[in-house]
Amino acid sequence: QKNSCVLPEDLKNFYLMTDGFQMTWSVKTDDTPMPLGSMVINSVSKLCRLGGSSMYTLPNAPTLADLEDDTDEEGNGDKPEKPHFDSRSLIFELDPCNGNGKVCLVYKHAEPVVSPDTEIWFLDRALYWHFLTKTFTAYYRLLITHLGLPQWQYAFTSYGVSPQAKQWFNMYKPITINTALLSEEADSFVNKLDPNKVFKSKNKTPVLKKKPPSQSPGSQKSHTSMTSAKTSSLAGNSSRK
């Protein structure tokens, strides 16, 4: 009501379920947890409008609209028209991106009446706009699939992510950062499992039991005669007693 605009239906349904969203995850290096991923959707109270206020507290300080570069028009060709910080557009911050930029909900046609059509744009630290998605649902899917990795929004810019962020992408999202390689070799990231090798039974060598040495017939007879001689001697000794 304050800004005379209506939330898009998918974002409205999201806020009816939960007032914002924040999830962070960490990796362990040298047994020490280090925060890495961050996924944020501002609550309704933090859905602040950009562009109208001054960037500094000094008198006559410039606003974002004063700093806007009108020569960089993106409405040519297939590129969508970029948002404006003045009264032509309404811009609301969805994600502060840990200081790496801002993900914004943009009403691009605010005059004379605010149009219900919205888009999701990324504003980098140099105040350049980069188109992300047409709907909040599509952006939410991007946020989840990119795991909230640092600077993941820069993957949709012309200059890409930083070398440090690219290392995290190679570790946790290799397909995303190597899309060109994936288009050339469709099976390069597919795990190939050979069930014949995995479930191959190991041939165990049978353990041979040692048989006792066979005795010759002559040795058996001598053993029998010695046993009978001992028995007769014992019987003679008992009769003498």
Side-chain angles (χ1 to χ4, degrees), residues 207-222:
V207 179
L208 299 177
K209 296 182 179 180
K210 294 183 178 180
K211 295 182 179 180
S214 57
Q215 297 179 353
S216 60
S219 61
Q220 290 182 356
K221 289 181 180 180
S222 60

Side-chain angles (χ1 to χ4, degrees), residues 36 149-152 154-155 159-171 177:
L36 182 62
L149 288 170
Q151 305 175 17
W152 70 266
Y154 283 88
Y159 31 86
V161 299
S162 65
Q164 182 180 3
K166 188 175 293 185
Q167 292 180 0
W168 294 117
F169 269 84
N170 287 328
M171 183 175 297
I177 204 63

Side-chain angles (χ1 to χ4, degrees), residues 14 17 35 62 70 72 79 94 113 143 146 161 188 207 224 226:
F14 175 82
M17 292 187 297
D70 290 333
D72 185 22
K79 295 182 180 180
L94 284 177
V113 182
L143 176 65
H146 284 81
V161 299
S188 58
V207 179
T224 305
M226 290 174 63

Side-chain angles (χ1 to χ4, degrees), residues 155-201:
F156 295 88
T157 65
S158 58
Y159 31 86
V161 299
S162 65
Q164 182 180 3
K166 188 175 293 185
Q167 292 180 0
W168 294 117
F169 269 84
N170 287 328
M171 183 175 297
Y172 294 102
K173 289 287 293 180
I175 297 180
T176 303
I177 204 63
N178 295 288
T179 53
L181 179 62
L182 183 63
S183 61
E184 295 176 1
E185 300 178 8
D187 297 333
S188 58
F189 292 100
V190 179
N191 292 329
K192 297 181 180 181
L193 180 64
D194 188 356
N196 295 325
K197 293 183 179 180
V198 175
F199 301 103
K200 185 178 180 180
S201 60

